[in-house]
Amino acid sequence: MKVLVIGGGAREHALCRSLSLDPDVSALYCAPGNAGIAEVAELRPVDALDGAAVAALAGELGAGLVVVGPEAPLVAGVADAVRAAGIPVFGPSGEAAQLEGSKAFAKDVMAAAGVPTARSYVCTTAEEVDAALDAFGAPYVVKDDGLAAGKGVVVTEDREAAREHAAACDRVVIEEYLDGPEVSLFAITDGVTVLPLQPAQDFKRALDGDQGPNTGGMGAYSPLPWADPKLVDEVLETVLQPTVDELRHRGTPFSGLLYAGLALTGRGTRVIEFNARFGDPETQVVLARLRTPLAGVLLGAANGTLDALPPLNWSDEAAVTVVIASHNYPGTPRTGDPIEGLADVAAEDGPEAYVLHAGTRREGDAVVSAGGRVLSVTATGSDLAQARERAYKSVARIRLDGGQHRTDIAAKAAEGR
């Protein structure tokens, strides 16, 4: 099978790495890709938001499966265009992707499906915002209704900061604060059958100790030794399956990757948000532990045949990923800085540790930074402590002027806290 992956971040590098190891994949392409993905897939230029262009490229390559990575192309309906061309595609329709594209739509679906989530108000005026902030009190949770690359949420004790964020958005969802640890759980679905993956935890804040501004994610780990062993089954029954069933009943079946961001509160598990694609950086650690070849599972979702697949096979090992970000991230990042030490990691630390590229590009013989999050250094080990030690050993080999990373990814979990 020939596979075309759309996107160019660390999530897509993780997907391409897994697909490149699948014996059923005879040719692997990525558009537009990045400097790291070029080592495992053939890169092609494309406007990832142009459905017709993506479909035409898939046809030209003879792709038997297209995997749409990022959220913006999904919300723009790129998967619809590929399906219309008769090519199997992993990714929901533009309409179903509104589960991520609109927080208000997601809340409506959850209410209809009986899915436990935070109480919320959808606000479009300053008066509605003030009333919602009064209703819930601090800490205030204010979410941009639309796509915001993981940076559209403000959680703050400062009422004025909450009001300012709301004023900068056309429409916001203001909701009650959910206490307790957060968990990311992915599920692959064909619109009927739901196949949950292994849970992970990511780190949203820029700085150690969960300080600083929200980011797209600064690291992740899996498995979660502190989580209830029944968590996945519970979330499948109360969140994932009811959501997929509700969307199908509405005539907008969801086929692809359903990502539930969860809070394990004192009152039970609650959904913080849904995403319509693999999360970044959780994909890096979840796929590092998946032993079942990936292409067949994604194709099963695309073709509606997930119920015929055997159970997924998982490694008992742990995985940790640490994001190296550029200077000033998550503000306006500085780009064009040379990245050194990549060859050292490949030569000294593999196969237990490896580097997945996010915002990179090649300039002559050099690889330089080209975005906010630049690299995801990923490692596996017999437990979280070993995986963490290996990841940070590799991080120390990489040199990026002004680069920054958190030093506490998975630290508490590795220590049993």
Side-chain angles (χ1 to χ4, degrees):
M1 176 170 45
K2 296 179 179 180
V3 181
L4 169 63
V5 176
I6 302 301
R11 164 188 45 228
E12 287 76 34
H13 194 174
L15 287 164
C16 285
R17 179 182 180 274
S18 290
L19 289 165
S20 74
L21 298 172
D22 187 330
D24 288 335
V25 176
S26 57
L28 180 61
Y29 305 93
C30 187
N34 63 38
I37 295 173
E39 296 175 8
V40 294
E42 186 177 321
L43 302 192
R44 293 299 178 96
V46 79
D47 178 353
L49 296 175
D50 185 337
V54 171
L57 176 61
E60 173 193 323
L61 296 173
L65 175 67
V66 175
V67 180
V68 183
E71 60 273 27
L74 291 168
V75 172
V78 167
D80 300 273
V82 177
R83 271 193 199 95
I87 301 168
V89 58
F90 182 82
S93 66
E95 203 171 349
Q98 285 302 309
L99 205 57
E100 177 170 5
S102 168
K103 303 288 190 299
F105 175 78
K107 288 289 187 183
D108 184 61
V109 170
M110 283 188 268
V115 169
T117 186
R119 292 180 298 125
S120 64
Y121 295 100
V122 180
C123 306
T124 56
T125 69
E127 291 76 21
E128 290 173 346
V129 167
D130 284 334
L133 296 176
D134 287 341
F136 293 131
Y140 304 106
V141 181
V142 184
K143 299 180 175 182
D144 189 336
D145 181 52
L147 294 180
K151 292 175 275 191
V153 180
V154 165
V155 180
T156 179
E157 299 277 349
D158 185 338
R159 185 184 175 98
E160 277 311 303
R163 294 180 82 238
E164 284 176 19
H165 182 62
C169 306
D170 290 334
R171 182 161 81 154
V172 293
V173 173
I174 295 176
E175 56 185 44
E176 66 176 326
Y177 176 75
L178 297 175
D179 63 337
E182 294 185 11
V183 173
S184 299
L185 184 61
F186 301 163
I188 291 171
T189 178
D190 55 13
V192 178
T193 301
V194 181
L195 201 61
L197 305 186
Q198 289 288 301
Q201 186 174 58
D202 76 331
F203 295 76
K204 283 279 189 279
R205 299 283 187 167
L207 306 175
D208 283 4
D210 293 326
Q211 300 297 306
N214 260 349
T215 71
M218 295 299 290
Y221 68 93
S222 179
L224 311 182
W226 47 268
D228 187 329
K230 299 175 185 171
L231 176 66
V232 173
D233 290 338
E234 177 207 330
V235 174
L236 175 62
E237 182 181 337
T238 63
V239 174
L240 299 170
Q241 192 71 57
T243 300
V244 168
D245 291 345
E246 171 63 23
L247 286 165
R248 187 176 68 255
H249 294 151
R250 289 178 177 220
T252 55
F254 188 104
S255 166
L257 195 290
L258 177 59
Y259 163 141
L262 307 164
L264 309 186
T265 78
R267 293 173 292 123
T269 302
R270 298 287 185 271
V271 175
I272 301 169
E273 65 175 358
F274 283 127
N275 290 337
R277 40 71 195 183
F278 280 101
D280 182 350
E282 300 97 323
T283 303
Q284 288 86 302
V285 291
V286 172
L287 291 187
R289 299 184 56 226
L290 180 65
R291 289 290 169 263
T292 302
L294 184 61
V297 182
L298 303 186
L299 185 63
N303 286 340
T305 57
L306 276 184
D307 61 339
L309 294 183
L312 296 177
N313 182 20
W314 294 94
S315 165
D316 291 331
E317 287 193 319
V320 172
T321 194
V322 179
V323 171
I324 298 177
S326 55
H327 175 73
N328 201 43
Y329 179 77
T332 303
R334 190 175 76 201
T335 60
D337 288 310
I339 303 165
E340 299 176 338
L342 296 172
D344 298 337
V345 174
E348 303 290 337
D349 301 340
E352 293 86 4
Y354 48 89
V355 180
L356 299 169
H357 292 230
T360 68
R361 68 173 183 269
R362 187 164 285 283
E363 285 188 356
D365 293 335
V367 175
V368 302
S369 61
R373 292 185 295 171
V374 181
L375 303 168
S376 286
V377 180
T378 305
T380 55
S382 58
D383 56 18
L384 284 174
Q386 186 181 53
R388 191 173 179 278
E389 179 186 344
R390 287 172 172 172
Y392 278 105
K393 181 181 176 184
S394 296
V395 167
R397 297 188 193 277
I398 294 171
R399 296 172 297 284
L400 171 66
D401 187 32
Q404 54 175 316
H405 65 273
R406 282 182 57 159
T407 66
D408 62 347
I409 302 301
K412 288 182 179 179
E415 294 166 5
R417 291 190 284 142

